[in-house]
Amino acid sequence: MPTPSMEDYLERIYSLIEDKGYARVSDIAEALEVHPSSVTKMVQKLDKNQYLVYEKYRGLVLTPKGKKIGKRLVYRHELLEEFMKIIGVNDENIYVDVEGIEHHLSWDAIDRIGDLVQYFEEIPNRLEELREVQKKNEQLEEQS
C-alpha cells in the first residue's frame, strides 16, 4: 500500500494525466507546491514500487496498478468534497478539510460516506430536512 505522501502524488499525477494527457515533474511540483527535486525523489520511489514508469528527462507513465490506485484516490477526494458540501461545510474550508482527513479514513468508511452521499442525492427532500435541522441548531446556539 502506498504511504499518504505517495497517495498525494499518485492522485495528482493521475489528475494531471487525465486533464493534460501527461504529467511532468515541473507540473507535479507546481500542483503540490513542492520543489522539483522532491518530486523526482518521490517519482523514483513510485517507479521502484511499480506505480509508474519514470525515465529521466522523458517523463512518466502510470502503470495499470498506478492508474487503478490514482483513479480510486481521485474518487475518494471528490466524494469527500461532495460529502462536505452536503453537510454544509463552507466552500473555503472544504479542500483543506478533505486533505486533512482523506488519508485517515478506511475504504470501508469511504464506501459508507458514498452511501450517505447517494442517500441525499437520490431524494432532494432529505437535503432540505438536513438544512432545517442545521438552521434550528444554529438558532439554538445563538440563544445560548
Side-chain angles (χ1 to χ4, degrees), residues 22-39:
Y22 60 89
R24 297 179 312 211
V25 167
S26 59
D27 298 323
I28 300 163
E30 183 181 332
L32 292 173
E33 299 178 353
V34 296
H35 291 285
S37 59
S38 299
V39 174

Side-chain angles (χ1 to χ4, degrees), residues 18-69:
E18 285 294 300
D19 294 344
K20 297 170 73 173
Y22 60 89
R24 297 179 312 211
V25 167
S26 59
D27 298 323
I28 300 163
E30 183 181 332
L32 292 173
E33 299 178 353
V34 296
H35 291 285
S37 59
S38 299
V39 174
T40 300
K41 287 178 188 172
M42 179 58 78
V43 165
Q44 289 169 341
K45 190 181 289 187
L46 292 169
D47 183 28
K48 182 180 173 195
N49 286 282
Q50 300 176 337
Y51 293 111
L52 55 81
V53 176
Y54 173 66
E55 293 182 33
K56 197 171 182 178
Y57 307 116
R58 299 198 105 185
L60 56 95
V61 177
L62 288 170
T63 63
K65 173 182 170 182
K67 280 183 188 174
K68 181 179 178 183
I69 290 174

Side-chain angles (χ1 to χ4, degrees), residues 70-88:
K71 184 175 184 176
R72 184 103 163 116
L73 295 172
V74 167
Y75 164 78
R76 176 181 72 185
H77 190 97
E78 291 172 350
L79 176 68
L80 290 172
E81 283 187 353
E82 186 62 28
F83 174 69
M84 293 288 177
K85 288 177 189 170
I86 285 172
I87 63 173

Side-chain angles (χ1 to χ4, degrees), residues 71-121:
K71 184 175 184 176
R72 184 103 163 116
L73 295 172
V74 167
Y75 164 78
R76 176 181 72 185
H77 190 97
E78 291 172 350
L79 176 68
L80 290 172
E81 283 187 353
E82 186 62 28
F83 174 69
M84 293 288 177
K85 288 177 189 170
I86 285 172
I87 63 173
V89 174
N90 290 327
D91 286 346
E92 62 268 9
N93 297 330
I94 289 176
Y95 183 81
V96 172
D97 287 348
V98 169
E99 286 296 313
I101 66 169
E102 67 183 342
H103 301 293
H104 302 285
L105 296 172
S106 68
W107 285 105
D108 182 43
I110 296 296
D111 290 340
R112 298 301 66 81
I113 289 169
D115 295 342
L116 190 61
V117 167
Q118 182 180 351
Y119 173 82
F120 280 105
E121 288 177 343

